[in-house]
Amino acid sequence: MCFSRTASVGFVTVMGREMCTSQDFVNWVCGDELDPIYVMCAFMRAREHLRSLASGSTHKTIYFPTVEEVLHSSPAVPHAEGVR
């Protein structure tokens, strides 16, 4: 997973493999308990809300604890597959 957290806050994608990016992104690898497609859709749906949580005067930035809150509220895989 890759989530844009600086300037263009709120864009998200599922990458085909583990990758490194710049500090402008929050990246993580979903384990067996977290469906990456569900998380991507949840982040897309919450884009405006997430942007409202960004702070900063020059570049709006969303910090990792905020992203973590969204991830912790995601359902386990069996529940997420039913929502897709």
Side-chain angles (χ1 to χ4, degrees):
M1 300 288 315
C2 181
F3 176 76
S4 173
R5 67 178 203 91
T6 303
S8 57
V9 171
F11 291 95
V12 63
T13 189
V14 175
M15 297 185 283
R17 60 187 174 123
E18 294 179 26
M19 293 186 183
C20 295
T21 61
S22 73
Q23 65 188 17
D24 296 321
F25 298 90
V26 174
N27 302 306
W28 65 95
V29 176
C30 293
D32 294 335
E33 296 296 314
L34 193 58
D35 179 6
I37 302 300
Y38 176 86
V39 175
M40 181 181 72
C41 291
F43 271 70
M44 290 169 62
R45 179 79 172 122
R47 181 176 292 143
E48 291 305 314
H49 175 65
L50 291 168
R51 285 181 178 167
S52 75
L53 301 175
S55 60
S57 58
T58 305
H59 288 290
K60 297 292 184 187
T61 301
I62 191 167
Y63 293 96
F64 194 75
T66 305
V67 174
E68 263 187 326
E69 286 180 27
V70 174
L71 289 175
H72 287 295
S73 65
S74 297
V77 168
H79 301 289
E81 288 176 346
V83 174
R84 269 205 234 175

